[in-house]
Amino acid sequence: METRELRYFVAVAEEANVGRAADRLGIAQPPLSRAIARLERRLGATLFDRTPRGMDLTDAGLTLLREGRVALAAMEAAERRTRRTAQTPGESRIVLTAKPGSAGEVMVKLLDAYAAEPDAVDVEVVFSPPRHQALMLRDGRADVALLHRPFDDLSGFDVETLLVEDQVVIVPAGHPASQRTSMTEAEARSISDLPCPRWPEIDGSYPDGPGPEMRDLTQMVQLVRLGRTAIVLPESVQAYVRDGVAVVSLVDAPRVTTVLAWPPHSTSVGVAGLARTAARL
Amino acid sequence: METRELRYFVAVAEEANVGRAADRLGIAQPPLSRAIARLERRLGATLFDRTPRGMDLTDAGLTLLREGRVALAAMEAAERRTRRTAQTPGESRIVLTAKPGSAGEVMVKLLDAYAAEPDAVDVEVVFSPPRHQALMLRDGRADVALLHRPFDDLSGFDVETLLVEDQVVIVPAGHPASQRTSMTEAEARSISDLPCPRWPEIDGSYPDGPGPEMRDLTQMVQLVRLGRTAIVLPESVQAYVRDGVAVVSLVDAPRVTTVLAWPPHSTSVGVAGLARTAARL
DNA sequence: AGCAGTCATACCGAAAAGGTATGGCAACGG
DNA sequence: CCGTTGCCATACCTTTTCGGTATGACTGCT
């Protein structure tokens, strides 16, 4: 199976429509139809059910979509890391990706401690949208990432735990709920006049729902102050909030673990050094 | 980067010689030379240093070899698992791979317990050479494997621990060392007239050394009886030895953990059921 | 019934892959 | 020191594949 065929397949699977997929790929529709048919012939598997409204994935197609995305990410990672090795002889820089504002405190401590090491290399910090950190690690855009259990998918990475913390709910200062000293997660999510905000999906779209669309922490604090939402977050975000909001602890919410993660088999001395520093914190 | 190009690159990297790699790939040498040159141009990286004796990998080439093997295994896995999904509707069978004789006891217990489950599917057990289990899991030839820490590379897999055991050394019954009740691993490996056996590498070749080439457990027991070798192994192999050998415990050898491992994101109900059964043992 | 949308097929030109023949270059041995 | 031997690269040709345009077949909707 060639990389191109697999990219074509993924495009068709995601669009559920050959014509739109062809547009996205920048080719005409007929060659794409043929490529899919040939791929099916070579695999000996029907990947799509053809309907009058488009293409429906079969079970085999679902398998290829799931496994194929992993394979494509691995191909991209191989390519990217090779380019970078060629361009930066001696490895003078590594890329760390994190969610903006996530565990800011621990990240500063980690980077400061690492920079003090004798053999430290430059660490370029790249902020990326929520949940994109693992993707960037998988496809080689980043060498190391700050991930959060249980939200991120840590499977396949080596990790070092940096911080374990409870979650809290942030409510408007004057709201009746602000009088409580603690509540359950279910209670926090069902305060009738304070709907939960909607976080973006991996593809950048927002799910349907009553809450506001959440983009960053600054905006979040404003929305809470305005009495538009209540938001469940790890307690370390208290560093970002000031007046106008109240913090109520949650009794049953899962703990959030912040970890430093990197691909197994990483040969980077920078990543190894950062991991060693993390283990000492 | 296309799959074909990457396969060509890996062949040349492994052979360190374009002509031999071309033979192995079943194509002529000039197209392969051109393919490598084009890949280097497209990556913007020099992958090989050309010497009068062949091709030497550069740092960038080493990166591509390491990452590229992972990517190729992922591509193969995607292809294989898609074929299998198409061929076995309803998933009536999963493939488990293990080293022959490894933790025989615990494997029997696991399979018996799983077979007693109400929704159990058939488990095909495929024995493969030592260290091949993880490869088979990575490229989709197996759905689940019995691996051994610290010998196998578990990175990237989900695991369930089945058994933790000490290691022992097996020596000929009449040998002076058989009088000891315990020794250190270093002592066991340096008994002058009993050299350690040589296990095959991943590629099936044997390293150089004085000891005999080890193929399977039956042969091993014979070799120990004949006074040709002493061998360090997990204690569960005592089930396979009878007369003519003595077992001496080791005080400092690392413990061996037998785990059930499977790829993350596995959607197989068979694998999930087996993992659940393993967790209960 | 006509129309809008879908995917498939037919046919053609362009690009890429593969084969054979051959050239250049360095190391090695007489 | 010169021929031989192994290398890899280049030149040139053939075959395959890839992509584009035009068009057909089929379904659901108005």
Side-chain angles (χ1 to χ4, degrees):
Chain A
M1 189 171 48
E2 289 303 313
T3 311
R4 182 174 3 86
E5 300 179 291
L6 185 52
R7 270 196 297 262
Y8 286 5
F9 164 79
V10 171
V12 173
E14 286 178 354
E15 300 286 346
N17 178 312
V18 181
R20 278 200 304 273
D23 281 352
R24 188 171 116 186
L25 294 166
I27 65 172
Q29 171 259 318
L32 184 53
S33 274
R34 264 180 306 157
I36 298 295
R38 193 180 43 243
L39 180 60
E40 288 181 312
R41 230 180 12 256
R42 289 215 282 239
L43 289 175
T46 305
L47 300 171
F48 295 101
D49 290 324
R50 273 72 169 173
T51 78
R53 282 202 305 289
M55 310 280 274
D56 266 8
L57 278 171
T58 61
D59 282 355
L62 276 169
T63 298
L64 185 58
L65 182 59
R66 180 168 37 82
E67 302 270 336
R69 278 173 169 155
V70 175
L72 284 179
M75 290 289 291
E76 281 182 49
E79 199 167 330
R80 251 192 212 102
R81 297 206 168 104
T82 303
R83 285 209 167 88
R84 242 162 54 89
T85 304
Q87 281 162 17
T88 62
E91 189 197 3
S92 55
R93 200 178 53 111
I94 60 174
V95 176
L96 181 149
T97 186
K99 195 165 72 173
S102 84
E105 190 65 16
V106 79
M107 186 165 92
V108 171
K109 271 206 296 208
L110 172 65
L111 292 181
D112 283 354
Y114 175 64
E117 294 283 310
D119 55 351
V121 304
D122 281 355
V123 178
E124 179 183 351
V125 179
V126 175
F127 291 108
S128 48
R131 320 240 170 161
H132 273 62
Q133 290 79 33
L135 292 180
M136 294 185 63
L137 218 47
R138 283 183 214 283
D139 71 12
R141 279 176 291 175
D143 302 300
V144 61
L146 285 181
L147 301 182
H148 302 280
R149 191 196 298 269
F151 306 120
D152 287 307
D153 174 14
L154 304 185
S155 60
F157 297 131
D158 287 351
V159 298
E160 190 69 56
T161 298
L162 287 171
L163 179 67
V164 181
E165 53 186 331
D166 287 316
Q167 293 192 82
V168 296
V169 57
I170 317 266
V171 297
H175 193 274
S178 68
Q179 301 307 312
R180 308 272 301 263
T181 54
S182 71
M183 61 178 75
T184 66
E185 192 183 359
E187 283 181 297
R189 296 199 185 281
S190 60
I191 303 173
S192 59
D193 59 334
L194 294 177
C196 284
R198 287 171 292 141
W199 295 97
E201 302 287 328
I202 291 268
D203 61 4
S205 70
Y206 285 86
D208 290 337
E213 295 183 355
M214 194 53 63
R215 283 172 222 286
D216 57 52
L217 281 173
T218 328
Q219 179 213 21
M220 176 206 84
V221 175
Q222 288 181 322
L223 284 169
V224 175
R225 266 201 207 106
L226 293 170
R228 301 292 188 81
T229 188
I231 185 165
V232 174
L233 282 176
E235 59 189 356
S236 65
V237 294
Q238 290 185 46
Y240 293 92
V241 304
R242 288 278 178 274
D243 313 317
V245 304
V247 174
V248 179
S249 65
L250 289 175
V251 293
D252 66 341
R255 293 197 152 189
V256 176
T257 309
T258 301
V259 302
L260 186 74
W262 61 93
H265 316 115
S266 167
T267 55
S268 154
V269 298
V271 171
L274 203 57
R276 226 180 309 115
T277 306
R280 274 203 302 273
L281 285 186
Chain B
M1 190 171 47
E2 291 302 313
T3 311
R4 184 180 354 93
E5 302 178 291
L6 185 52
R7 271 195 297 262
Y8 286 4
F9 165 78
V10 171
V12 173
E14 286 177 354
E15 300 286 346
N17 178 314
V18 181
R20 277 199 304 273
D23 280 352
R24 188 170 116 187
L25 294 166
I27 65 172
Q29 170 260 319
L32 185 53
S33 273
R34 263 181 306 155
I36 298 296
R38 193 181 44 242
L39 180 60
E40 287 180 313
R41 227 180 16 254
R42 288 216 282 239
L43 289 175
T46 304
L47 301 171
F48 295 101
D49 290 325
R50 273 73 168 171
T51 78
R53 282 198 307 288
M55 310 280 272
D56 267 7
L57 278 171
T58 60
D59 281 354
L62 276 169
T63 298
L64 186 57
L65 182 59
R66 179 167 36 81
E67 303 269 337
R69 281 172 167 156
V70 175
L72 284 179
M75 289 290 287
E76 282 181 47
E79 200 167 330
R80 252 191 211 102
R81 298 206 168 106
T82 303
R83 283 208 168 89
R84 242 160 56 87
T85 304
Q87 281 161 18
T88 63
E91 189 196 5
S92 55
R93 203 178 52 112
I94 59 173
V95 176
L96 181 150
T97 187
K99 196 164 71 173
S102 85
E105 191 64 16
V106 79
M107 188 165 88
V108 170
K109 271 205 299 206
L110 172 65
L111 291 182
D112 283 354
Y114 176 62
E117 293 283 311
D119 57 350
V121 303
D122 282 356
V123 178
E124 179 182 352
V125 178
V126 175
F127 291 108
S128 48
R131 319 239 173 164
H132 273 63
Q133 289 80 30
L135 293 181
M136 293 185 62
L137 218 48
R138 283 183 215 282
D139 70 12
R141 279 175 292 174
D143 303 301
V144 60
L146 286 181
L147 301 182
H148 303 278
R149 190 195 297 269
F151 306 121
D152 287 307
D153 173 14
L154 303 187
S155 60
F157 297 131
D158 286 352
V159 297
E160 189 69 57
T161 298
L162 288 171
L163 180 68
V164 181
E165 51 186 334
D166 287 317
Q167 292 193 82
V168 296
V169 57
I170 318 267
V171 296
H175 192 274
S178 70
Q179 302 305 314
R180 309 271 302 263
T181 54
S182 70
M183 61 178 71
T184 66
E185 190 182 0
E187 284 179 296
R189 295 198 184 280
S190 61
I191 303 173
S192 59
D193 58 338
L194 295 177
C196 283
R198 287 172 290 141
W199 295 98
E201 303 284 328
I202 291 267
D203 60 6
S205 70
Y206 286 85
D208 291 337
E213 294 183 355
M214 193 53 63
R215 284 173 221 287
D216 55 53
L217 281 174
T218 329
Q219 179 213 23
M220 175 205 86
V221 175
Q222 288 181 322
L223 283 169
V224 176
R225 268 203 205 102
L226 292 170
R228 301 291 187 81
T229 188
I231 185 165
V232 175
L233 281 176
E235 57 189 357
S236 65
V237 293
Q238 291 185 46
Y240 294 92
V241 303
R242 290 274 178 277
D243 313 317
V245 304
V247 174
V248 180
S249 65
L250 290 174
V251 295
D252 65 341
R255 294 200 151 187
V256 176
T257 308
T258 302
V259 302
L260 186 74
W262 59 94
H265 314 115
S266 167
T267 56
S268 155
V269 296
V271 170
L274 203 57
R276 227 180 308 117
T277 306
R280 274 203 302 273
L281 286 185

